[in-house]
Amino acid sequence: MLAPFSKKPLALTLRGITTDDKDLSVDLIRTVTLPHLEPFGISDGLELKIRKRGSPPLGGGEVLFLCPIVKQVKTLNFVEPGKIKRIRGIAHAVRVSPQFSNRMIEAARGVLNRYIPDIYLYSDVYKGEDSGKSPGYALSLVAETTTSALHCAEAVSRPGVAPEDIALRATRSLLGEIERGGCVDQKHQTLVLLMMVLGSEDVGRCRMAEPTERT
């Protein structure tokens, strides 16, 4: 939130856990959170690079966050949710069998292919020093509409839970987000509202689903 209003463009290296069940993963920040800033005029030079992945509890991940500065954010007018046109996803696995990510992809496709044909799920397997200090896997999903609205969901590995079950959890969560509608998914309501407050004095508009307790 503060980075675009700094005195100089920001280049920040962060180390630790990159995916857990408490906060947004680096995958959703890169593919959903950062694109939510583009309508406000924060785009050129905005990037998140994943250098290493780190699963809980020991982490070991590393990312590079680059953010430009702006004098004033643009006014947002986004009231047409549109219809879902494609779904993208990343199934990553660190310090476990690469088949875990493939199993998540197959399970997710088994559900999502019933609704839309344009689906691409990418398997991202890290090995060696780039795989952090703890084993883990997760599936992140993003649905994009014809008006560029984004809805996202993810599920992270748990002890004793099969990859297929993790995939079904993420898939059902995504379908729930889509059903709620709006131009902004529930995970990004607070971000968008705060950026609207920081905008110019012009009246901004954005259609959202029912606000969460955090919002």
Side-chain angles (χ1 to χ4, degrees), residues 19-25 154 214:
T19 304
D20 64 12
D21 56 2
K22 298 180 177 63
D23 300 295
L24 292 178
S25 70
E154 65 183 350
R214 180 180 180 183

Side-chain angles (χ1 to χ4, degrees), residues 124-136:
D124 195 18
V125 179
Y126 279 63
K127 297 180 180 180
E129 294 182 356
D130 294 340
S131 62
K133 301 177 181 179
S134 298

Side-chain angles (χ1 to χ4, degrees), residues 1 24-40 42 46 48 65 142 150 152 185 187-188 191-192 195:
M1 283 300 302
L24 292 178
S25 70
V26 291
D27 293 301
L28 289 188
I29 293 175
R30 182 175 61 85
T31 59
V32 184
T33 304
L34 298 190
H36 270 101
L37 296 177
E38 293 180 6
F40 295 101
I42 307 170
L46 183 65
L48 182 70
F65 176 55
V142 182
L150 299 173
C152 67
D185 75 339
K187 296 179 179 63
H188 293 86
L191 172 67
V192 171
M195 295 305 294

Side-chain angles (χ1 to χ4, degrees), residues 157-214:
S157 60
R158 294 180 178 180
V161 181
E164 290 83 1
D165 293 331
I166 296 298
L168 291 176
R169 182 167 163 239
T171 302
R172 290 166 182 164
S173 180
L174 178 68
L175 294 176
E177 280 287 350
I178 294 172
E179 183 181 16
R180 281 186 281 271
C183 299
V184 177
D185 75 339
Q186 290 189 321
K187 296 179 179 63
H188 293 86
Q189 289 177 345
T190 303
L191 172 67
V192 171
L193 288 172
L194 286 174
M195 295 305 294
M196 291 177 71
V197 171
L198 295 171
S200 64
E201 296 181 359
D202 294 337
V203 177
R205 299 183 302 161
C206 183
R207 177 176 294 178
M208 297 184 180
E210 181 181 352
T212 63
E213 292 184 3
R214 180 180 180 183

Side-chain angles (χ1 to χ4, degrees), residues 29-94:
I29 293 175
R30 182 175 61 85
T31 59
V32 184
T33 304
L34 298 190
H36 270 101
L37 296 177
E38 293 180 6
F40 295 101
I42 307 170
S43 57
D44 292 338
L46 183 65
E47 188 176 2
L48 182 70
K49 298 180 179 180
I50 304 173
R51 291 175 170 172
K52 300 178 182 178
R53 289 191 180 273
S55 294
L58 300 180
E62 180 177 308
V63 299
L64 174 63
F65 176 55
L66 304 174
C67 184
I69 56 174
V70 294
K71 294 182 179 179
Q72 182 75 53
V73 297
K74 296 180 179 179
T75 302
L76 180 67
N77 281 287
F78 196 4
V79 295
E80 294 296 334
K83 296 182 179 181
I84 301 299
K85 66 177 181 179
R86 61 184 170 215
I87 295 175
R88 298 292 182 262
I90 298 174
H92 83 261
V94 294

